[in-house]
Amino acid sequence: MYGNAYVDPENKIVNSITANEDPIKLAEFESRIAAGDKIEPMDWMPAEYKKQLVRMIEQHAHSEIIGALPEGTWITRAPGFRRKLALMAKVQDEIGHGQLLYSAAETLGKSREAMTNDLITGKSKYSNVFNYPAKTWADSAVIAWLIDAGAIVNQLANSKGSYGPYCRALDRICAEESFHLKYGHDNVVFLATGTPVQRAMVQDALNRWWEPIMHFFGPPDKESIHSATLMRWKVKMGSNDDMRNMFLDMYVPKIWDLGLTLPDENLHKNEETGRWEYTEPNWEVFKQVINGNGPCNKERLAVRRKAEENGRWVRKALAKPSEKYVTPLS
Ligand code: FAQ
């Protein structure tokens, strides 16, 4: 399905991380993966498979929760009642996706409290794109169209992957994201075909969001740390470059059709290879952003921390009596 999959030709990476596994169980596990079986929570799995799944699903869950924040800032300022309702529904959906994904990660033994704690203390990552401000209404339109589009490209592929609970969550998420994408596209078309001021506003948003969107699919395959393992065990069904290429293939023509431009003079499809060629985005900027130093990282985590503090009494009220009242026994 995907043209330029990243490979670990001599299986060096996977052999080194499975050295301590029972070889018979490992072979059985890998033959199930090869046959396209779904792995379920109670099934035997290599420790590294579990660790990688927790890392990836947890980061994905955090991305949905933090991802609601840039667009969420536009709920109070959306131009018109109908747009406000639509944006509120979208933001609620994103939070719901976070809940589904936390539940999927919990099946692997990490508690939600531990995941939330790792997010608010800055230990866990979440998607780079949500560390940028949504300066104008056009930013919210570009996010809803193109970031949701990028998310669908990635998640539709991975929903055919090997871990049952993650795949089932992705099926549901993709159905909702495809509606978000239509909403975002409608908003971008409205602005792109509107007054010169509206058109300039959407072009400006696109110019600012292009590099973060290129970063969104992860570092180039040759620099990706986890792809070889994740692809061998069918957690990731395409490499970072494959996904980026698929996104460019589907959406650059649609952007150009609207008469909008992209801030990369070298962007074009090489018809012989079928791959898009482009100026490499600045990967140093990417590293800074995913490691806590983007324009909005501190603000995003501060909001999440405040929500955690403000909601503590609700969680306490809903807790089992045995957890709610700690009665001294002696
Ligand atoms: N941002 O070895 P790789 C959404 C990190 S949901 C931040 O290539 P991998 C919905 C990576 O974690 C968006 N960090 O990593 C929505 C690793 O660091 P670590 C989220 C990134 O896992 C829309 C290091 O770089 N989607 O948008 C990023 O094989 C609108 C090395 O990288 C998912 O999470 C990044 N972009 O591939 C919500 C989908 N890229 O952990 C609201 C599931 C890489 O070693 C509004 N995840 N890193 O410290 C995946 O498909 C993969 O995890 C990738 C990264 C493709 C993101």
Side-chain angles (χ1 to χ4, degrees), residues 213-233:
I213 289 173
M214 291 294 281
H215 288 153
F216 177 82
F217 300 90
D221 290 355
K222 59 182 186 310
E223 285 163 34
S224 168
I225 308 163
H226 306 295
S227 286
T229 317
L230 291 172
M231 289 181 71
R232 177 176 169 120
W233 288 334

Side-chain angles (χ1 to χ4, degrees), residues 55-56 59-60 63-64 67-68 71 90 94 125-128 130 143 147-148 151 154-155 158 166 177 215-219 224-227 230 236 240 286 290:
R55 180 191 67 82
M56 197 169 122
Q59 285 182 9
H60 189 174
S63 303
E64 301 278 356
E71 283 175 289
K90 178 184 189 303
E94 306 297 2
K125 290 193 170 67
Y126 56 89
S127 185
N128 67 300
F130 303 121
I143 294 171
I147 294 187
D148 278 84
N154 170 299
Q155 290 161 33
N158 292 345
Y166 188 40
E177 300 286 30
H215 288 153
F216 177 82
F217 300 90
S224 168
I225 308 163
H226 306 295
S227 286
L230 291 172
K236 265 168 88 164
N240 298 355
F286 170 77
I290 68 172

Side-chain angles (χ1 to χ4, degrees), residues 69-95:
L69 299 178
E71 283 175 289
T73 61
W74 280 95
I75 291 177
T76 52
R77 299 172 286 165
F81 185 60
R82 285 177 201 282
R83 290 196 182 89
K84 186 193 287 276
L85 286 179
L87 180 57
M88 271 167 61
K90 178 184 189 303
V91 165
Q92 282 174 0
D93 283 354
E94 306 297 2
I95 299 296

Side-chain angles (χ1 to χ4, degrees), residues 6-34:
Y6 180 86
V7 283
D8 175 20
E10 293 162 26
N11 292 334
K12 281 189 186 155
I13 301 171
V14 174
N15 289 346
S16 74
I17 55 184
T18 54
N20 294 329
E21 299 290 357
D22 176 332
I24 296 173
K25 287 184 175 159
L26 181 63
E28 201 181 309
F29 168 83
E30 293 210 311
S31 71
R32 286 188 64 195
I33 300 264

Side-chain angles (χ1 to χ4, degrees), residues 265-278:
E265 286 177 357
N266 297 323
L267 182 68
H268 69 281
K269 185 170 178 172
N270 179 332
E271 294 298 342
E272 272 175 32
T273 60
R275 308 287 290 188
W276 283 78
E277 292 172 6
Y278 45 81

